[in-house]
Amino acid sequence: MTILPEDTRQFSPQALDEGRKLFAGACDFMLGVAALGQLPDADFPEIAFAGRSNVGKSSFVNALTGRKTLAKTSNTPGRTQQLNYFNLGDALYLVDMPGYGYAKVSKTQVAAWTQLIRDYLRGRPNLRCCFIMIDARHGLKDSDREIMEMLDVAGVSYRIIFTKADKVKDQELAKMRGSVEAELKKHAAAFPYIHVTSAHKDIGLDEARAIMAAMAGV
Ligand code: GDP
């Protein structure tokens, strides 16, 4: 697996260490937010995770924290349509957004979800970044583009994380990366480089922790 230079340039040993330290601490489920009035006070910076159902979002966050909390919480009936809040070491909130692009969800549910997300993204002052998880084999789908546009409009910075990089050959990965990065250039609020990961093969996880620690300001 080749990690291209822009992935490694920004990661000093110290930055990687800060990331590891942050994620070695407690990470507890706090609450599920179904309506904006339930949002916790903006006490800490926060990072949101978005992605199509099955993209590997739970596996990624569980691998980062070394815990199974996220998968368990997010798949609890009733919690799948909420913003699930986790407190990482009293330093950062991790917000698991509902997975989208799932065919079995009704139009009414999609509309309710879209409204909640739109309002959340527009009005959350401590939201540092939204990570949009994309399957390295499949690239961007229209439902991903919709959320990217929402983020552009809301002026919230976002970064693309490729998941399941262990499933693609280097050459395919480079090609997919090139085409998605070309598209990112057209989006005002997007970070121009993709961060490549595999939760199963521990690729890019230390670097992801370092990115988040920098955002938490630790
Ligand atoms: P979520 O719906 O986005 O939370 O997705 P999950 O984390 O539940 O993962 C969906 C499926 O993808 C599961 O079968 C995982 O085992 C698989 N998966 C997740 N991450 C990886 C990865 O890094 N590599 C591979 N090969 N499979 C993965």
Side-chain angles (χ1 to χ4, degrees):
M1 175 66 49
T2 317
I3 303 255
L4 298 176
E6 54 268 33
D7 270 339
T8 46
R9 209 181 297 156
Q10 57 189 310
F11 305 116
S12 65
Q14 192 194 345
L16 292 171
D17 204 42
E18 298 292 356
R20 261 181 241 120
K21 265 193 248 158
L22 174 65
F23 279 84
C27 183
D28 299 313
F29 176 68
M30 232 175 89
L31 84 163
V33 170
L36 284 192
Q38 301 165 348
L39 281 172
D41 290 342
D43 293 334
F44 306 115
E46 72 192 41
I47 293 173
F49 295 90
R52 292 169 58 81
S53 301
N54 236 24
V55 71
K57 180 154 61 81
S58 316
S59 304
F60 174 73
V61 180
N62 289 337
L64 286 181
T65 58
R67 292 170 188 84
K68 298 260 186 262
T69 3
L70 187 60
K72 226 163 60 193
T73 309
S74 308
N75 295 333
T76 306
R79 293 231 167 109
T80 51
Q81 293 300 311
Q82 301 181 340
L83 299 167
N84 288 308
Y85 267 79
F86 297 83
N87 178 335
L88 182 64
D90 272 349
L92 188 67
Y93 288 141
L94 303 181
V95 184
D96 181 29
M97 292 166 68
Y100 50 79
Y102 188 53
K104 282 191 187 148
V105 177
S106 73
K107 281 199 174 146
T108 327
Q109 270 173 305
V110 171
W113 179 88
T114 308
Q115 193 58 47
L116 174 66
I117 297 306
R118 205 179 291 262
D119 292 344
Y120 164 69
L121 295 176
R122 273 198 198 130
R124 193 68 177 156
N126 55 333
L127 178 59
R128 293 281 188 274
C129 186
C130 180
F131 287 83
I132 305 180
M133 318 295 299
I134 302 288
D135 191 315
R137 297 168 297 180
H138 305 145
L140 296 178
K141 303 278 184 194
D142 284 345
S143 50
D144 301 311
R145 294 186 176 99
E146 277 169 35
I147 189 125
M148 287 164 64
E149 274 156 30
M150 263 191 234
L151 288 157
D152 287 327
V153 170
V156 174
S157 305
Y158 56 97
R159 284 185 78 135
I160 302 289
I161 307 259
F162 270 180
T163 59
K164 310 189 191 181
D166 59 288
K167 291 269 209 181
V168 283
K169 299 204 171 73
D170 279 4
Q171 219 181 349
E172 281 170 66
L173 181 68
K175 208 168 139 203
M176 183 58 88
R177 181 176 196 153
S179 76
V180 175
E181 284 182 349
E183 197 169 332
L184 288 180
K185 292 207 174 77
K186 298 179 200 146
H187 288 267
F191 187 76
Y193 301 120
I194 292 163
H195 185 63
V196 176
T197 70
S198 160
H200 285 191
K201 294 282 155 73
D202 196 359
I203 295 167
L205 298 181
D206 264 345
E207 291 79 3
R209 293 184 188 102
I211 292 170
M212 294 178 207
M215 287 172 180
V218 292

